[in-house]
Amino acid sequence: MSHIIGIDLGTTNSLCGVFLGDKPRLIPNALGKMLTPSVVAVLEDGQILVGEAARELRVTQPDRCASTFKRLMGSDARVEMAGRAFTAPELSSMVLKSLKADAEKFLAEEVTDAVITVPAYFNDNQRKATKVAGELAGLKVRRIINEPTAAALTYGFHDRNAEKKLIVVDLGGGTFDVTLMEVFEGTLEIVSTSGESFLGGEDFTNRLVSVILKQLGMQLELAELQEPLRVARLRQQCEDAKRRLSEQTDVEVKVPEKDGTLPEKARTVKINRETFAAAVKPLLDRIAGPIGKALRDGRSEAQEVDDVILVGGATRMLPLVDFVRDYFGREPEATFNPDEVVCLGAAVQAALIADNRAVDDMVMTDVCPFTLGVNTAKEMGGQVKTGYFVPIIHRNTTIPVSKEHVFSTMVPNQQEVLVDVYQGENRKVENNLKIGELRVTGVPPGPAGQEIYIRFTYDLNGILEVEAYVAKSEKKFRAVLTQHAADLTDAELEAAVANLQTLKYYPREDQANQKLLRFAERMVGEVSPYQREQFEDAIDMFEQAMGTGDRETVENARSTLEQILAMLGIDPDQASGGASFE
């Protein structure tokens, strides 16, 4: 069996690795380097260049080059390059092909399978686009894994006996993620995640470019249109200056001519750390938002975090390090190279998939980064208004998971219901992402309010099973949304769906639950009027809990109802006969 490689497909740089022997290893490219720039170029003869050669050409012929296209994944946008238009998956596939070729040379075997990392906050369209890129490159994508999760796998692999709460701050070239997790007894449990898909090191470089252009009386957006060669060369100079500011207190940046050349006596602009920090402060303010959100979702405070781990080359910037230190009140750590740690984790994930004995004592849980729910209608002021989003699986719920919600028909004799499935956080579905639908037919005629139970079951492969149960007819309807799990074979998909069934819990079909509910309802008229309100509240809570389909919620509500019955001197074991008052 050939090796499964792990790939960190980055905005600025990409790299691949493999698990060999008893540890993950990086794979060098044709130039002997680990990082391959995520840049693609088209020469005049139609030849495609990828990597460092393309990055060099970007400075002198930017119209023939494409970069930062990872930010366009999942959209309909096309990149114009040398008179041709390319989609983001097409451009990404060229980078993946290059990495695949490097891996085949290194391993001396054909490579067909890969694990590819993505920002934790990538939505389903972006993840699906990443899988498409893999397919175009001739790879079967065995798993899409979140970048912070991959980084945590690297740390967890090398420190399996740790028991701590840690947070991964991942600032790459074009995206930002933050993930809160707990490590204990070889288990990595993702607690919560958040981030931004349009915030990264490239934005910090652009801030520096803007500062210098402003001194020339120019704005970045206008300059890119009017003097693209100057801006391309200046961006290269600012990228270098940004890196040097991590070692030096001030640097000089040479200002290119309009044609992009750098004469010997080119004008220079001095930039110090304070100027850079002031320029990027708005970006740092944006970083604070997702960090706070991840902590709130994980019900944690900054001071409760044991370790703060920096991931991504952009986390070397001193303003970012200072910001993180101030936010958490402790020194962040980067035990592993921030550029490489995600790729190493992808290789560990590949070993987990391959059932490598070197990782058989490791367990990893992940979370659903976005809320999953359905489109519903609400009655307001006598009018029925549609387009409201009702969550079924909330963001940062540990997966695999199965959750249920009860809905009702809106009008008399409604015989059909269309369940539109969405992903997102907005109150209105129009601002969320539709990922599928399920049509429910044959609802028995009757008044409005016929109950329909909608259950979502979601797993690590990205498979979402949507199930609808019509209470009155006892009919079930089901749709399996594979989204970014399209590479699974029929047999693999069948096995994955079978595994989903083990997650399901149907409390409303449990005879013991129904017996307790009916018995309690019958006892309402037997208790003192002064006790009735508390008793009915417990019954309502139990009935609502059964509608959630959550085992823990149901058991807690059942326990509460049984305690109330015991307090009232009622023995629920007598449900089949008359009531017994002790």
Side-chain angles (χ1 to χ4, degrees):
M1 180 179 175
S2 62
H3 291 85
I4 304 173
I5 62 172
I7 296 176
D8 177 5
L9 182 61
T11 306
T12 305
N13 294 294
S14 297
L15 60 164
C16 63
V18 65
F19 202 95
L20 290 178
D22 60 354
K23 63 181 181 181
R25 291 184 57 184
L26 297 176
I27 295 174
N29 60 25
L31 298 176
K33 298 182 178 181
M34 302 306 174
L35 300 182
T36 296
S38 301
V39 184
V40 177
V42 179
L43 300 180
E44 292 181 5
D45 61 1
Q47 181 184 350
I48 300 292
L49 292 181
V50 174
E52 290 203 31
R55 185 173 63 182
E56 290 299 319
L57 192 67
R58 184 178 61 178
V59 177
T60 57
Q61 298 185 54
D63 60 315
R64 291 192 167 274
C65 304
S67 59
T68 67
F69 39 80
K70 178 177 176 177
R71 288 181 162 183
L72 303 178
M73 294 292 266
S75 71
D76 295 327
R78 291 178 176 268
V79 179
E80 294 289 335
M81 183 170 60
R84 297 166 59 183
F86 297 87
T87 64
E90 288 172 338
L91 293 168
S92 296
S93 74
M94 297 174 192
V95 176
L96 292 172
K97 281 181 183 177
S98 177
L99 297 175
K100 179 176 182 288
D102 293 333
E104 289 176 336
K105 182 178 180 180
F106 179 80
L107 296 169
E109 66 181 30
E110 183 183 9
V111 172
T112 58
D113 293 31
V115 170
I116 302 180
T117 65
V118 296
Y121 225 53
F122 256 26
N123 63 30
D124 269 22
N125 280 352
Q126 292 167 310
R127 292 167 190 263
K128 187 174 182 180
T130 302
K131 296 202 75 163
V132 169
E135 293 168 359
L136 292 174
L139 292 167
K140 178 180 180 180
V141 183
R142 297 290 294 273
R143 180 72 56 83
I144 293 288
I145 180 175
N146 294 334
E147 290 166 3
T149 302
L153 274 175
T154 300
Y155 280 85
F157 174 77
H158 289 90
D159 190 10
R160 302 188 203 189
N161 297 320
E163 288 193 18
K164 61 180 71 174
K165 180 178 289 188
L166 55 88
I167 196 162
V168 176
V169 177
D170 181 359
L171 185 65
T175 58
F176 172 66
D177 287 316
V178 56
T179 296
L180 180 69
M181 61 192 71
E182 293 181 353
V183 182
F184 55 93
E185 298 177 352
T187 298
L188 295 173
E189 181 176 320
I190 308 301
V191 177
S192 61
T193 190
S194 187
E196 273 201 48
S197 297
F198 289 88
L199 178 60
E202 299 282 349
D203 300 290
F204 286 76
T205 301
N206 282 338
R207 286 281 177 174
L208 208 48
V209 174
S210 294
V211 167
I212 295 173
L213 287 176
K214 190 174 182 179
Q215 293 191 25
L216 302 178
M218 303 176 67
Q219 291 185 340
L220 177 58
E221 294 78 9
L222 191 60
E224 282 188 305
L225 294 174
Q226 296 177 342
E227 302 178 3
L229 295 177
R230 169 182 274 176
V231 173
R233 177 72 72 175
L234 181 58
R235 184 172 280 116
Q236 181 194 49
Q237 294 291 303
C238 288
E239 178 66 30
D240 179 62
K242 182 183 74 175
R243 295 171 187 269
R244 285 189 287 133
L245 281 170
S246 295
E247 305 291 336
Q248 304 168 219
T249 56
D250 55 72
V251 297
E252 287 190 346
V253 179
K254 291 184 177 181
V255 180
E257 297 295 319
K258 187 175 181 178
D259 61 0
T261 59
L262 276 173
E264 186 176 342
K265 295 184 178 181
R267 175 182 174 180
T268 61
V269 175
K270 183 172 285 189
I271 300 291
N272 58 33
R273 287 178 175 175
E274 290 73 23
T275 302
F276 181 50
V280 301
K281 187 180 182 303
L283 300 177
L284 296 174
D285 291 341
R286 286 170 59 189
I287 282 175
I291 292 177
K293 187 177 181 182
L295 288 171
R296 288 192 301 273
D297 285 357
R299 298 180 180 180
S300 299
E301 301 291 337
Q303 60 269 23
E304 296 174 352
V305 176
D306 297 304
D307 290 336
V308 182
I309 296 172
L310 299 181
V311 174
T315 56
R316 291 188 175 92
M317 294 182 297
L318 290 183
L320 186 280
V321 175
D322 293 340
F323 173 82
V324 172
R325 183 191 301 111
D326 292 343
Y327 194 103
F328 290 96
R330 61 179 51 91
E331 195 71 32
E333 62 177 273
T335 307
F336 296 93
N337 186 325
D339 287 312
E340 301 173 352
V341 63
V342 169
C343 183
L344 291 170
V348 174
Q349 176 64 69
L352 286 167
I353 292 173
D355 293 324
N356 190 304
R357 278 186 286 183
V359 294
D360 62 3
D361 60 339
M362 291 186 68
V363 178
M364 184 196 75
T365 71
D366 212 335
V367 296
C368 184
F370 286 92
T371 299
L372 298 170
V374 299
N375 177 16
T376 62
K378 292 183 178 181
E379 188 172 343
M380 295 181 177
Q383 291 184 323
V384 175
K385 297 184 179 181
T386 61
Y388 290 92
F389 181 64
V390 173
I392 293 181
I393 296 178
H394 287 274
R395 71 172 187 265
N396 290 320
T397 298
T398 301
I399 53 177
V401 66
S402 186
K403 293 284 186 180
E404 186 176 86
H405 197 293
V406 61
F407 297 90
S408 303
T409 55
M410 292 289 294
V411 296
N413 299 318
Q414 182 177 341
Q415 297 183 24
E416 184 174 292
V417 174
L418 181 63
V419 181
D420 288 320
V421 182
Y422 284 82
Q423 174 193 87
E425 309 302 329
N426 203 282
R427 181 168 173 259
K428 297 288 189 72
V429 296
E430 64 187 17
N431 297 316
N432 293 330
L433 174 67
K434 183 175 179 179
I435 59 175
E437 63 181 41
L438 171 65
R439 189 172 296 276
V440 178
T441 59
V443 179
Q450 305 263 23
E451 290 185 338
I452 299 175
Y453 295 84
I454 306 297
R455 175 180 291 274
F456 281 10
T457 308
Y458 190 69
D459 76 351
L460 287 166
N461 293 304
I463 298 172
L464 174 64
E465 183 191 65
V466 180
E467 184 179 80
Y469 171 77
V470 182
K472 192 171 182 180
S473 69
E474 298 187 348
K475 288 183 178 179
K476 287 184 179 180
F477 299 81
R478 189 183 73 167
V480 177
L481 310 181
T482 56
Q483 291 304 104
H484 52 275
D487 276 346
L488 295 180
T489 65
D490 290 342
E492 290 170 335
L493 182 59
E494 185 177 346
V497 173
N499 286 334
L500 291 180
Q501 311 315 307
T502 64
L503 300 172
K504 295 181 180 179
Y505 173 56
Y506 296 98
R508 65 176 181 277
E509 297 177 14
D510 185 285
Q511 290 300 313
N513 286 334
Q514 289 297 334
K515 178 182 175 182
L516 177 62
L517 178 63
R518 301 310 164 205
F519 174 72
E521 288 176 338
R522 184 158 59 86
M523 290 297 101
V524 168
E526 304 291 335
V527 302
S528 164
Y530 302 106
Q531 299 168 321
R532 177 166 177 158
E533 183 176 354
Q534 183 185 17
F535 188 27
E536 285 202 54
D537 286 345
I539 296 173
D540 290 344
M541 185 172 70
F542 182 48
E543 188 170 24
Q544 290 170 5
M546 287 199 293
T548 68
D550 182 79
R551 189 183 302 274
E552 184 177 356
T553 303
V554 172
E555 289 177 353
N556 288 338
R558 180 189 177 98
S559 176
T560 299
L561 179 56
E562 288 175 338
Q563 289 174 19
I564 296 292
L565 285 167
M567 184 183 69
L568 295 172
I570 302 174
D571 181 4
D573 291 334
Q574 302 299 316
S576 57
S580 173
F581 289 83
E582 297 177 349

